[in-house]
Amino acid sequence: MIKAVYFHIPFCSHICHYCDFNKVFFKGQPVDEYLQAMEKEMKHTMEAFPTDQLDTLFVGGGTPTVLEMKQLDFFLNSIHKYFPFTVGEVEFTFEANPNELSKEKLRMLKEAGVNRLSFGVQTFNDELLQTIGRTHCEHDVIRTIEMAKEVGFTNISIDLMYGLPGQTLEQFRDTLEKAFSLDIQHISAYSLIVEPKTVFYNLMKKGKLLLPSQEEEAEMYEEAMKQMEMHGYQQYEISNYACPGFESRHNLTYWNNEEYYGIGAGAHSYVNGTRNVNAGPLKKYIQLIEQTHFPYIESHTLTLEEKMEEEMFLGLRKTEGVSKQQFAQKFHRSLHDVFAEPVATETQKGLLEETETHVRLTHRGKLLGNEVFQAFIGII
């Protein structure tokens, strides 16, 4: 039974220099028409693939909170109309920018059952924020989080980035210190990855993007792991840290290799063993909904071998690693029967280790995660 759903709102008031997500400028877009198409996709999805009760909902973007009050109200009502969940029992996350939330919007979200906010902070250094194309400043973050707490939100997450252009270890330490002072429940810390079709990618091609070295970036990651532990945040995934009991249930759906719905332009879904990709351009998305009820432009039904590979490279992102028992229950084969060779090789390199119940990354393995994940692809 599918227990998770992701909704994509692709609108932004401003495009960040590093962002490669499916997004468009908010102004001049057919926003109302898009939200109506999303509602139709919700309806058709639940008719074709019904579920009894969701455990987690996640609204990402883009910037979902850029929607105007009437649009936000319509969207939230659409969710309640087609997706069954019990307010208070599910994890219902909304992404937001620190400078684009009013108390009025926060109250609307709270009343609709949203109980977790995820803010794109990235850094507390105002100069670096300008460098990466963000429009908020440190003060906006502090003010908005205080406001969210006043409205009654008790599960707040922020995203941080390291390895930014010109960023020093000392600047990252300062950002971590300020993050800890906010008294929030969850922090994600990601290294900058320069993706094609971004401002940073074009600058890099021209030799105008000065990034920290790989060694400096690794130092920042080590610092994040050390400081998080010191401040009571448990690392439960390569880039994610939470106070006990506040791990992101939605993201764990992905890392546990479980199925989920994906609604909206550019959204991905994993339903009945098939991974689907929705059309990204708004007009194409809306057109496909009208013509075929579903906006899929790619669909791939996974083989047993592919499912087992995904179980490994997704599950190894978690600090606890891949459960040998769950692997056997899912695939009716032992993990060692299938992956004895890469497990032995990566263990010999010092990148993997085994407990009685799990296979997991070592501390060094976390620094070289992609290398380890690659070892489990295409070998069956």
Side-chain angles (χ1 to χ4, degrees):
M1 186 65 68
I2 301 173
K3 294 184 177 181
V5 56
Y6 172 80
F7 304 92
H8 192 74
I9 303 293
F11 307 110
C12 288
S13 58
H14 181 81
I15 306 297
C16 303
H17 297 344
Y18 55 83
C19 181
D20 74 327
F21 294 128
N22 189 46
K23 79 282 180 188
V24 291
F25 282 112
F26 180 67
K27 287 183 179 177
Q29 297 295 337
V31 180
D32 293 344
E33 192 181 350
Y34 174 76
L35 294 174
Q36 289 161 12
M38 280 188 83
E39 184 177 73
K40 289 174 184 174
E41 188 187 2
M42 294 180 205
K43 177 179 184 289
H44 300 319
T45 297
M46 291 308 289
E47 286 173 350
F49 313 106
T51 190
D52 290 335
Q53 178 73 28
L54 291 168
D55 180 54
T56 166
L57 303 90
F58 193 106
V59 182
T63 311
T65 49
V66 79
L67 295 177
E68 295 170 359
M69 290 292 288
K70 279 187 178 179
Q71 295 165 339
L72 191 57
D73 186 51
F74 176 86
F75 172 61
L76 290 166
N77 282 327
S78 297
I79 292 174
H80 278 278
K81 193 185 298 184
Y82 293 109
F83 286 92
F85 71 93
T86 305
V87 173
E89 292 183 10
V90 303
E91 175 192 85
F92 190 174
T93 304
F94 238 78
E95 286 187 341
N97 278 347
N99 58 334
E100 291 182 347
L101 259 183
S102 64
K103 217 163 197 177
E104 197 180 11
K105 279 186 183 177
L106 281 166
R107 286 197 188 101
M108 178 179 280
L109 294 175
K110 190 83 168 56
E111 287 167 9
V114 176
N115 55 13
R116 183 175 185 270
L117 297 173
S118 178
F119 290 103
V121 173
Q122 317 316 354
T123 176
F124 285 91
N125 183 296
D126 287 348
E127 194 176 323
L128 271 177
L129 285 167
Q130 284 190 328
T131 299
I132 65 177
R134 300 294 285 179
T135 56
H136 70 268
C137 62
E138 177 189 340
H139 172 73
D140 293 323
V141 178
I142 296 165
R143 179 186 57 81
T144 305
I145 288 179
E146 283 177 0
M147 193 164 59
K149 289 179 180 179
E150 286 168 12
V151 170
F153 285 96
T154 57
N155 190 354
I156 296 173
S157 176
I158 64 171
D159 287 351
L160 300 178
M161 295 180 78
Y162 57 91
L164 299 173
Q167 188 180 34
T168 65
L169 179 59
E170 200 51 49
Q171 286 174 332
F172 185 56
R173 281 195 185 117
D174 181 63
T175 276
L176 288 171
E177 189 178 320
K178 286 173 179 172
F180 299 138
S181 73
L182 295 172
D183 187 27
I184 54 176
Q185 293 69 41
H186 188 281
I187 300 174
S188 300
Y190 303 100
S191 64
L192 172 68
I193 298 173
V194 180
E195 302 282 6
K197 299 179 183 177
T198 63
V199 172
F200 276 172
Y201 183 77
N202 294 332
L203 288 172
M204 187 175 72
K205 278 172 53 177
K206 295 173 185 175
K208 294 182 178 179
L209 190 68
L210 301 176
L211 298 173
S213 66
Q214 283 188 331
E215 291 76 16
E216 289 170 318
E217 189 179 299
E219 281 183 350
M220 292 181 196
Y221 182 41
E222 295 263 19
E223 187 69 20
M225 288 191 281
K226 182 177 79 175
Q227 292 287 346
M228 295 287 183
E229 186 175 358
M230 283 172 55
H231 288 82
Y233 292 85
Q234 295 176 358
Q235 184 180 25
Y236 67 101
E237 190 267 350
I238 284 181
S239 304
N240 285 271
Y241 311 80
C243 295
F246 287 92
E247 298 82 3
S248 168
R249 280 149 62 180
H250 187 82
N251 286 343
L252 281 167
T253 300
Y254 302 143
W255 303 320
N256 288 331
N257 199 19
E258 296 168 355
E259 296 192 340
Y260 55 91
Y261 303 108
I263 305 292
H268 292 224
S269 59
Y270 182 27
V271 178
N272 287 357
T274 299
R275 292 198 178 275
N276 304 299
V277 180
N278 287 3
L282 301 194
K283 285 184 180 177
K284 180 70 172 174
Y285 170 80
I286 294 167
Q287 183 184 48
L288 284 173
I289 294 286
E290 292 298 330
Q291 290 174 349
T292 68
H293 290 183
F294 293 99
Y296 305 152
I297 53 167
E298 289 178 36
S299 291
H300 175 67
T301 301
L302 272 64
T303 63
L304 177 63
E305 289 76 17
E306 287 170 329
K307 288 179 181 178
M308 290 190 288
E309 288 174 357
E310 290 191 355
E311 189 78 8
M312 296 305 295
F313 69 72
L314 291 169
L316 284 172
R317 292 190 63 89
K318 297 179 295 179
T319 304
E320 71 175 12
V322 178
S323 164
K324 299 175 189 177
Q325 182 182 3
Q326 286 180 8
F327 188 98
Q329 285 174 348
K330 270 190 181 182
F331 305 113
H332 308 293
R333 293 178 68 182
S334 83
L335 190 156
H336 275 284
D337 281 349
V338 184
F339 293 113
E341 187 179 332
V343 168
T345 303
E346 300 307 306
T347 300
Q348 195 171 16
K349 291 180 188 174
L351 304 180
L352 277 186
E353 62 185 8
E354 284 194 64
T355 67
E356 195 174 317
T357 57
H358 288 74
V359 175
R360 65 188 184 192
L361 294 175
T362 61
H363 181 83
R364 184 164 166 262
K366 290 175 187 173
L367 297 168
L368 299 167
N370 287 337
E371 182 183 316
V372 181
F373 306 151
Q374 194 64 38
F376 290 90
I377 298 172
I379 65 158
I380 306 174

